[in-house]
Amino acid sequence: MRIFSGIQPSGAPHLGNYLGAIQSWVQSQNSEAFFCVVDLHSLTQEISPDDLRRQTLELTAALIACGIDPDVCTLFVQSHVPYHAQMNWLLECVASYGELTRMVAFKDKSSRQEAQRAGLLTYPVLMAADILLYKTESVPVGDDQKQHLELTREIAERFNNRYGQTFVVPEFSKPAVAARVMDLQEPSRKMSKSVSSPLGKLDIFDSAEDIEKKIKKAVTDTDGEVRYDWETKPGLSNLLDIFASFSGEPPSHVAERYERYGDLKTDLAQLVISSLEPIAQRYKALLGDPAELEKLMARGAEKAAAVSRPVYESAARAMGLS
Ligand code: TYM
């Protein structure tokens, strides 16, 4: 099954990125899987050139440290393959202005930014280009990307109807638990790189002390009963989801073992620390050899270009570009 997914190099991955996406990428990786560090997407936000370059390399190392194996699947950087930007233009002439303004992520981000970049509006078209270039069948992402994926499907179908069968219409795929990891301080809002407070967001490379502190201080409720119930106990259910996602059992089973919030939090902190520690160690070792990382990125880009080039060319030809 052809799989494609991407992540922005806008800082260290947080628990939402890890449990909502990266963990399932690692589990599903095979020779037909493509994972992409989407540096072009990061240009829609304020970021210095040096930070973007460094974070792109760091995120590539982080993904490998998490278990993405460049010998098994294809791991590459979006801007290293020119067909993404080229396909983006073709699809901007298929998508409509109205459907882009209806995207929740656009409304949310543009309301927070003073000087709005046009790329913030057209962002989901570039995402559609990423996905459709690889004849992707399944896109493993967190719940927050569902609307973007629906738009991708819409664009693919419209293109196929207008210009002839060219694209595969991809399916959305999210993990069974932790598809939407919530902010530890504000469990009504998703954990996010840009919005969460320092205590609300747990990064995968946080120190053991910080992980413990953030989990201990996570907002729950005052009723005191350990029960998996998103309606009335979102803070606690979020912790149970995180626990279940690391331990591989259903969240309600985790809940049954605990009577007190404090005990659950203590064990969860230990579980998160022991699960993330080996990743942080591999990450440090990988960053010690940037030349090797550059080599891996070049190889990934070559593999990705070999697959995406013919798809780009057939789309361009179908539209009348000779
Ligand atoms: P990004 O970089 O914001 O997030 C990367 C992945 O992490 C997931 N995620 C979450 N999952 C659960 N809970 C959360 N709180 C949480 N926060 C983030 C996201 O759903 C995503 O899977 N537009 C995309 C990147 C992208 C892409 C693509 C994805 C560009 N092209 C093509 C798939 C296919 C984004 O900004 O993800």
Side-chain angles (χ1 to χ4, degrees):
M1 160 116 67
R2 180 62 64 80
I3 293 173
F4 183 98
S5 201
I7 179 169
Q8 288 193 60
S10 44
H14 54 64
L15 268 193
N17 300 133
Y18 183 68
L19 302 178
I22 300 169
Q23 193 169 251
S24 46
W25 301 0
V26 171
Q27 285 157 4
S28 61
Q29 65 184 322
N30 57 37
S31 61
E32 291 289 299
F34 292 78
F35 300 117
C36 186
V37 174
V38 294
D39 54 350
L40 297 174
H41 277 99
S42 290
L43 293 174
T44 57
Q45 312 267 355
E46 174 87 47
I47 185 165
S48 80
D50 284 343
D51 283 350
L52 181 55
R53 223 181 318 273
R54 180 179 47 77
Q55 288 173 194
T56 298
L57 190 82
E58 286 175 356
L59 184 56
T60 305
L63 293 174
I64 298 172
C66 287
I68 298 293
D69 183 345
D71 287 331
V72 172
C73 62
T74 302
L75 173 64
F76 71 105
V77 176
Q78 188 183 33
S79 69
H80 296 180
V81 178
Y83 311 109
H84 291 251
Q86 285 179 262
M87 182 69 100
N88 174 60
W89 179 252
L90 304 191
L91 299 184
E92 277 194 21
C93 298
V94 175
S96 76
Y97 174 74
E99 63 194 350
L100 295 178
T101 56
R102 285 196 291 276
M103 294 291 113
V104 174
F106 168 69
K107 288 193 221 166
D108 183 41
K109 282 186 190 161
S110 59
S111 68
R112 280 187 275 117
Q113 240 168 279
E114 276 174 19
Q116 289 171 22
R117 300 177 183 202
L120 212 52
L121 176 69
T122 55
Y123 177 113
V125 182
L126 179 58
M127 183 165 159
D130 298 339
I131 296 167
L132 299 180
L133 270 174
Y134 294 85
K135 293 196 177 283
T136 305
E137 292 162 286
S138 171
V139 186
V141 278
D143 204 38
D144 62 324
Q145 297 299 320
K146 186 161 193 234
Q147 198 189 25
H148 289 157
L149 206 77
E150 278 161 7
L151 179 68
T152 302
R153 290 169 54 86
E154 184 72 36
I155 291 173
E157 279 166 4
R158 193 176 306 153
F159 190 105
N160 288 345
N161 286 334
R162 203 178 282 170
Y163 300 109
Q165 184 62 39
T166 306
F167 295 130
V168 171
V169 181
E171 300 288 336
F172 167 73
S173 154
K174 66 174 183 179
V177 279
R180 185 175 284 265
V181 176
M182 307 310 272
D183 186 299
L184 298 174
Q185 288 298 309
E186 275 184 78
S188 58
R189 127 194 312 182
K190 70 168 181 172
M191 188 178 286
S192 140
K193 281 179 195 157
S194 44
V195 182
S196 296
S197 67
L199 276 179
K201 175 172 76 88
L202 206 162
D203 289 342
I204 63 168
F205 300 130
D206 275 351
S207 67
E209 297 76 55
D210 280 350
I211 294 175
E212 198 166 1
K213 183 169 78 188
K214 290 178 187 182
I215 291 177
K216 287 260 157 79
K217 290 192 185 250
V219 167
T220 48
D221 53 69
T222 51
D223 121 294
E225 188 195 347
V226 178
R227 189 159 39 85
Y228 186 59
D229 177 356
W230 272 101
E231 280 285 304
T232 58
K233 303 168 87 66
L236 190 76
S237 300
N238 191 36
L239 296 180
L240 288 166
D241 257 10
I242 295 170
F243 198 124
S245 187
F246 275 108
S247 69
E249 55 195 320
S252 54
H253 288 193
V254 180
E256 279 164 18
R257 290 205 302 275
Y258 290 95
E259 286 188 352
R260 298 209 316 240
Y261 293 0
D263 295 339
L264 170 72
K265 284 181 166 181
T266 304
D267 286 359
L268 175 60
Q270 283 320 308
L271 177 63
V272 175
I273 291 166
S274 62
S275 307
L276 295 180
E277 197 188 61
I279 298 179
Q281 276 173 9
R282 281 197 294 274
Y283 176 65
K284 262 192 222 141
L286 285 159
L287 280 183
D289 191 353
E292 176 62 20
L293 285 170
E294 303 273 0
K295 224 189 287 168
L296 289 174
M297 294 198 299
R299 190 158 55 93
E302 224 173 275
K303 280 162 68 184
V307 174
S308 53
R309 181 180 170 175
V311 182
Y312 168 73
E313 286 175 349
S314 65
R317 227 176 299 117
M319 290 180 96
L321 305 171
S322 49

